[in-house]
Amino acid sequence: MNAPATIHAIKAIERPDDLSLDRTLDIAILVLPGFSHLALHAYLEPFRIANVLTKASLFRWQIAGLDNKPVYGANNIAISVEVTTGALSASNAHLNQLVIIAGEQVEHQHTPQLQAFLRRVARQGIFISALGTATWLLAETGLLADTSCTIHWSRLAAFSEVFRKPRILETLFVKDGQYSTCAGELAAFDLAVDLIASHAGATVAQQVCRHAIVDGQRSGSNRQTAPSGLSYANVSQKLVVAVQTMEANLDNPLSMHAVAHRAGVSRRQLERLFVTHVGVSPAKHYLKVRLDHAKRLIEGTRMPLIDIAIACGFVSSSHFSKCFKVIHGTTPQQCRLEVPAWVGPGLG
């Protein structure tokens, strides 16, 4: 277990009269090859800071691995493993939280060994958190059925097509019962601070944010990325609604009359808004939104191209291919050939 380091520059806050400060929360962090060091340390550092500020062992953590070998992150820097999943399964030691951090090759990291471990932990009632792409592993193990969750924005399109049962949200983090999922990277900090607030109180959480020079605690419901229409907010709220309506209706595209109606403008007004502030007609913008979504699916899954065409509102593969080349300068088939080999066939 990690003992908190001493930081002389930090002035400890007064310990509030809270019994939770006398109870240590034990966390095991399972790192998988290609994991994000940014996500790992963004998640861990708030706990270290909380321990120092309160002069209490509020949190203890261990780095876990599938075996005893060091695990290399995406930046090719290795981290030592303190405990294996096998040892965690065999141990009678109390564990409050299991956190999983995966990498870009998450589709190839689902193994019978990992699945058995995750299901065993779930049966024990231990809280499980998945950071970034690790949400994919929980879904593939079947633990997220009928559960609200999130994943890094780059995998949202692929995740929503491959896994139908989880309710996917484009937010920083989601807590639903026994499971917490997080977008990863700096959003891991927000999930950790939320846990600190639950375990040690809002005052400690606020002081952690202050020490980390973070402007307050972000809500998990905050969007990962700004809506594409947000840049038009100061121009016209009706334009924002029109853009967001298009983004929400990809597989069954609406007519321009329907988009205009939902935005509360006439068809002519809609045309004028787009030409003036976006530089293209609403129909061309809508087409690009659908084809950008198609490109993400081609790059992030092994779904058949015809299925991707249908998911993006095209009934003809030839029309899909023609439009795709106009927007992206290449055909769907050529784009698929450029997909890294680690995007496995199991995603179709």
Side-chain angles (χ1 to χ4, degrees), residues 216-235:
Q217 182 179 349
R218 291 193 297 178
S219 168
S221 62
N222 286 8
R223 283 182 60 120
Q224 293 180 33
T225 58
S228 62
L230 193 61
S231 58
Y232 312 122
N234 294 329
V235 176

Side-chain angles (χ1 to χ4, degrees), residues 107-180:
E107 295 88 351
H108 279 183
Q109 294 177 331
H110 181 262
T111 64
Q113 175 192 358
L114 179 59
Q115 176 166 307
F117 172 69
L118 292 178
R119 287 184 173 177
R120 187 180 302 113
V121 170
R123 286 196 301 269
Q124 293 172 346
I126 295 170
F127 287 93
I128 301 177
S129 296
L131 307 188
T133 60
T135 302
W136 196 288
L137 296 173
L138 292 187
E140 202 160 8
T141 304
L143 296 178
L144 294 183
D146 301 319
T147 300
S148 295
C149 63
T150 191
I151 195 170
H152 189 272
W153 64 265
S154 65
R155 294 302 179 92
L156 277 167
F159 188 95
S160 62
E161 291 296 334
V162 174
F163 302 106
R164 298 292 184 171
K165 290 185 179 180
R167 298 185 293 275
I168 189 71
L169 304 171
E170 190 190 350
T171 55
L172 293 180
F173 64 87
V174 177
K175 299 191 297 181
D176 191 347
Q178 186 179 356
Y179 305 103
S180 296

Side-chain angles (χ1 to χ4, degrees), residues 47-118:
F47 300 134
R48 182 190 64 80
I49 295 170
N51 284 351
V52 174
L53 290 174
T54 60
K55 296 183 178 179
S57 296
L58 297 179
F59 304 94
R60 287 195 300 256
W61 54 88
Q62 289 178 299
I63 300 298
L66 296 176
D67 53 39
N68 285 312
K69 298 177 182 177
V71 182
Y72 284 85
N75 58 8
N76 209 33
I77 297 176
I79 188 170
S80 298
V81 169
E82 298 171 284
V83 63
T84 66
T85 53
L88 284 174
S89 298
S91 173
N92 292 322
H94 184 62
L95 180 65
N96 301 108
Q97 297 269 346
L98 173 69
V99 180
I100 314 161
I101 309 180
E104 287 299 318
Q105 301 184 29
V106 65
E107 295 88 351
H108 279 183
Q109 294 177 331
H110 181 262
T111 64
Q113 175 192 358
L114 179 59
Q115 176 166 307
F117 172 69
L118 292 178

